[in-house]
Amino acid sequence: MTQSRRMLVLRAVVEDYIRSQEPVGSTSLTKQHDLGVSSATIRNDMAALEDEGYLIQPHTSAGRVPTEKGYRYFVDRLATVMPLSEAQRRGINSFLEGSVSLKDALQRAARLLSEITGQVAIVASPSLAKATMRHVEMVPVAMNTLLAVVITDTGRVAQHGLVVPSMPSADDINHLSSTVNEQCGGLSLAKAGEKVRSIAETAGFEEVKAVAKALADAFESMALDERANELYMSGASHLAHSRSLADLAPLFDALEEQVVLMKLMSNLSEETNASGVGVAIGSESHTPGLLHASVVSSGYGRKAASRDSNLDDGSTTSPSDNEPVAFVGSIGPTHMDYAATMAAVRAVARYLSAFISESGTDAS
């Protein structure tokens, strides 16, 4: 009983510190929360929590603040993420509905998430490695060059130049395009590359064998190109209001390291809790510049959109069902409002899932 009450005290300390950003004392806890015990008992509980590494006392005779371990316990007990209010959901919907392209939607999503949380928002474009091919067009642009325009199920459009020894006839190119679209639709770009190589060796495609091999190379190159994951970032100016100058330089350096950020947030989005949101607190990110920051990330993907028609109805999702093609996330101080940030990240991720699902349908 003592242990469970002690953890209620911890939760109360975390909630109050997030709200006030001032060390929390036993007297204020007694006033703010109905814990059913005296101030002296709460003081003893706080001392025990400090001994166990959940709280720290920054100054003698001052209140206490949560440690990383304290925040981690608090976040892990947020079993369900609160759904956003109807007004917030309508606001997200109307803001993102104005998107004219995938890039525009991702830029808007980053801007919106930053405004909602008051923190840095990062949105990655769908990974080509995880996308499937919807359609390809090959257009001659020079004597020995064709432009392959590839549309994926996520709505991304990728272009690749194909250099060939000699230009086949328009009919032969169209025949190859039709065959590739018929046999490769729904395949990953890597698998599509393998399929196109087998098509190149098929009778009737002798005249376009070089084009088919060049297209197969292009598919495989796109599938392996990690740089194809563009990051859209918004809200870096918010950091100046929440961090000390000493913390800002390494934090901005961390934000510049896009490959490191992409790996961290991508991994987080795949190692989520029951609500489909991953959280790294301070040193858990294994990134020096984020030592005093927390990262919240969620994947967005095809299956989430088809299953979650209400988008933010409070239901939980299984990470294995989600199959994220990219991530959306927020970076803020360790004393961020975790419940609100997790809800906002999840809601924006779900709207992006719906958006790319519709884009993929339109493209097919």
Side-chain angles (χ1 to χ4, degrees):
M1 186 61 155
T2 303
Q3 182 65 16
S4 60
R5 187 195 65 234
R6 192 177 294 164
M7 290 309 161
L8 287 177
V9 170
L10 173 60
R11 184 185 180 107
V13 172
V14 174
E15 289 174 347
D16 285 7
Y17 186 68
I18 285 172
R19 185 171 59 248
S20 70
Q21 291 166 41
E22 296 286 343
V24 180
S26 57
T27 305
S28 67
L29 281 185
T30 307
K31 291 177 181 176
Q32 298 291 335
H33 302 269
D34 183 17
L35 294 169
V37 291
S38 68
S39 180
T41 302
I42 292 176
R43 246 191 324 273
N44 290 336
D45 285 341
M46 291 175 77
L49 287 166
E50 185 176 358
D51 289 341
E52 293 166 6
Y54 292 102
L55 299 177
I56 190 170
Q57 193 170 24
H59 309 291
T60 310
S61 77
R64 290 172 174 83
V65 301
T67 61
E68 281 184 19
K69 184 179 178 181
Y71 284 125
R72 171 49 61 194
Y73 182 90
F74 176 79
V75 168
D76 287 347
R77 296 313 179 275
L78 288 173
T80 57
V81 175
M82 298 180 305
L84 298 181
S85 69
E86 186 61 34
Q88 286 173 315
R89 287 164 60 186
R90 278 200 308 271
I92 291 175
N93 199 23
S94 62
F95 189 79
L96 294 183
E97 271 184 350
S99 305
V100 296
S101 65
L102 176 63
K103 181 178 180 178
D104 185 35
L106 300 178
Q107 288 173 328
R108 283 171 177 256
R111 219 159 50 238
L112 177 65
L113 183 57
S114 171
E115 289 301 318
I116 293 173
T117 61
Q119 297 164 177
V120 176
I122 299 178
V123 180
S125 61
S127 164
L128 285 175
K130 296 179 182 178
T132 62
M133 201 207 82
R134 277 286 182 255
H135 191 78
V136 63
E137 290 284 347
M138 287 181 285
V139 184
V141 292
M143 192 175 295
N144 296 90
T145 309
L146 295 103
L147 181 67
V149 181
V150 182
I151 301 173
T152 71
D153 65 325
T154 60
R156 280 197 65 174
V157 179
Q159 299 181 355
H160 210 286
L162 310 179
V163 179
V164 293
S166 59
M167 187 64 67
S169 69
D171 286 345
D172 285 335
I173 293 171
N174 290 337
H175 178 43
L176 176 61
S177 294
S178 298
T179 305
V180 170
N181 284 319
E182 184 181 321
Q183 296 189 24
C184 297
L187 297 180
S188 68
L189 293 176
K191 291 288 185 186
E194 292 176 14
K195 189 68 178 176
V196 173
R197 288 196 192 285
S198 68
I199 292 172
E201 302 301 328
T202 306
F205 291 93
E206 292 83 3
E207 297 299 320
V208 286
K209 189 172 184 177
V211 175
K213 287 186 174 179
L215 180 61
D217 288 343
F219 279 148
E220 290 163 0
S221 173
M222 290 177 199
L224 292 172
D225 188 0
E226 289 301 318
R227 292 169 301 173
N229 260 97
E230 293 178 278
L231 289 186
Y232 299 93
M233 191 180 301
S234 183
S237 59
H238 293 308
L239 292 173
H241 303 293
S242 61
R243 306 288 338 145
S244 69
L245 288 175
D247 294 337
L248 281 179
L251 188 46
F252 278 123
D253 286 345
L255 294 177
E256 287 292 317
E257 293 290 334
Q258 294 206 356
V259 174
V260 174
L261 272 184
M262 190 174 293
K263 185 176 181 182
L264 167 63
M265 300 186 87
S266 183
N267 288 343
L268 263 186
S269 69
E270 293 171 3
E271 298 168 6
T272 59
N273 60 18
S275 297
V277 183
V279 181
I281 301 167
S283 63
E284 294 175 356
S285 69
H286 305 293
T287 305
L290 299 177
L291 196 58
H292 302 290
S294 288
V295 182
V296 178
S297 183
S298 182
Y300 63 90
R302 297 177 290 274
K303 289 191 177 181
S306 61
R307 184 180 64 254
D308 298 325
S309 56
N310 291 328
L311 298 176
D312 192 42
D313 56 4
S315 60
T316 58
T317 61
S318 164
S320 61
D321 291 338
N322 199 18
E323 290 190 4
V325 294
F327 62 80
V328 53
S330 181
I331 299 177
T334 51
H335 61 258
M336 70 164 62
D337 185 336
Y338 288 96
T341 300
M342 290 162 71
V345 166
R346 188 184 70 162
V348 172
R350 290 186 170 193
Y351 278 96
L352 286 177
S353 291
F355 182 88
I356 65 170
S357 175
E358 290 162 9
S359 298
T361 302
D362 293 342
S364 54

